[in-house]
Amino acid sequence: MMSPAFASLLAGGRAQFNARAAEARRRFPSLDMAAFGAFLLDGVDPLVVAVVAAAPERAGGVTLAAYDMALELVGHGLAGPAAKNPFLNTVWRELAPQFAPLLATAPIDVLGMLSNAAIHIASVAGARPAQWQRELAALAPQIATLAQLRAVGQVLAWRAGVAHFRQGALAAADTLPPALALAAFGEPGAQWSQVHAQLMANPWRGNAEGREFGSFTGLGGDFGAPPQVRAAADGFIVRSGERHYLLVADAYGAVLHSATAQEFEQGQTSMPASVRLDGAILQIGARRIELDVPAGDIAIAANAHTVAVTSPWTHAIRLLPLA
């Protein structure tokens, strides 16, 4: 049931809202007005109610901005009951209201920022959108500006598995008040300069076990053939059959991008002296790791911070920290 506050705002601007809906139907001939109505109730109403409580004098402008953006999102099939990206509905319904003070002053910027982030994070295989939403909501009371929302959102997206955000997220974190940066990393009370230095030096900080990435495409995975790997400065170049990828991985996640055969051929094949393979035993410094694949055909590659292990007997790549 629609809240009285939202119903009143819609009724007060009926002619204007109807004109906007008519224009949207011309732009999006397949626009499902029933789906749009459902999104108004499910996604827009909660954030309007939150703004009415926080800054009632701004509720009209927020309603108009949210209405226009909702038409756009539903028109593109990104929001509503049959959305391509159901996570976006949740972000509008549950996360956006947490930022009512910012919504009141900059509704287009806040909703655009949250919507774009939700769409991107939900599209990254292996990312954890629910974690991003939960952690951002928890920090909402400490976020006072759009710039802080953008920076914290980027940090938390990285921490939720969007591994290629690492450098940008660290740069963004440096723009935050130290207490907010530390809160975004779940380390209140620490020294930001020390945490930042450790994160820059060691992409696997907080994850000594590494991770396994990839599986057979026939089972919904990434690789049609057992992958081969060569090191690159920012990750690993992977060849699987005739396809090539850039794998970026760290303590928080792993993400696969497209690459070329030429990049694979140019990949590094040298190995640090601290890394040695003895049958199915991988030695990294003083650590001995028993690999769960047959000895003999195991291949390893290493960049400055990670060892990647592959075998013709598996479609997975095992990634282990060098430090």
Side-chain angles (χ1 to χ4, degrees):
M1 187 176 193
M2 185 174 289
S3 69
F6 189 33
S8 175
L9 287 164
L10 289 177
R14 187 181 307 277
Q16 188 177 24
F17 289 119
N18 285 344
R20 280 170 148 74
E23 172 59 25
R25 285 197 297 271
R26 284 191 289 272
R27 291 169 54 212
F28 305 106
S30 61
L31 175 61
D32 184 341
M33 292 307 294
F36 173 66
F39 185 59
L40 287 181
L41 187 62
D42 180 60
V44 180
D45 192 3
L47 64 87
V48 170
V49 169
V51 172
V52 168
E57 73 282 2
R58 302 274 189 167
V62 172
T63 300
L64 192 60
Y67 189 94
D68 284 345
M69 194 171 295
L71 281 168
E72 189 89 12
L73 292 171
V74 175
H76 284 292
L78 296 169
K84 303 171 187 174
N85 178 10
F87 179 57
L88 185 58
N89 296 337
T90 305
V91 165
W92 276 55
R93 180 178 64 249
E94 299 178 9
L95 182 59
Q98 305 299 316
F99 294 95
L102 280 179
L103 277 170
T105 59
I108 294 174
D109 291 324
V110 173
L111 290 174
M113 199 180 301
L114 293 176
S115 297
N116 288 335
I119 291 167
H120 182 74
I121 294 169
S123 72
V124 175
R128 302 176 292 279
Q131 175 188 321
W132 175 80
Q133 178 191 332
R134 181 178 67 253
E135 294 183 351
L136 187 54
L139 292 176
Q142 302 179 51
I143 296 173
T145 68
L146 283 170
Q148 290 178 1
L149 174 58
R150 183 179 295 108
V152 172
Q154 189 171 3
V155 169
L156 296 182
W158 171 36
R159 284 171 45 83
V162 187
H164 57 286
F165 274 16
R166 177 174 178 268
Q167 293 295 336
L170 283 169
D174 261 343
T175 69
L176 294 169
L180 182 53
L182 289 166
F185 283 96
E187 300 191 35
Q191 293 293 320
W192 170 241
S193 59
Q194 294 178 2
V195 172
H196 179 270
Q198 291 167 6
L199 288 165
M200 285 293 292
N202 181 13
W204 292 96
R205 180 180 182 271
N207 180 351
E209 300 301 317
R211 65 177 63 254
E212 189 170 278
F213 178 87
S215 59
F216 177 47
T217 52
L219 299 175
D222 306 281
F223 303 128
Q228 299 171 291
V229 170
R230 291 186 177 177
D234 52 354
F236 293 92
I237 308 299
V238 183
R239 179 169 67 192
S240 173
E242 298 301 315
R243 306 190 67 176
H244 297 82
Y245 309 90
L246 169 65
L247 174 61
V248 180
D250 64 13
Y252 298 127
V255 178
L256 207 59
H257 303 280
S258 60
T260 65
Q262 182 180 12
E263 288 173 305
F264 181 82
E265 294 303 325
Q266 293 173 347
Q268 302 171 21
T269 57
S270 59
M271 193 62 52
S274 61
V275 178
R276 187 170 69 256
L277 184 64
D278 183 9
I281 303 294
L282 178 64
Q283 183 133 3
I284 304 175
R287 289 179 292 155
R288 288 173 55 85
I289 301 154
E290 294 189 23
L291 304 175
D292 56 356
V293 289
D297 294 314
I298 298 171
I300 55 177
N303 58 24
H305 48 73
T306 310
V307 179
V309 182
T310 57
S311 165
W313 301 99
T314 177
H315 287 77
I317 302 170
R318 187 164 180 186
L319 301 158
L320 297 160
L322 263 177

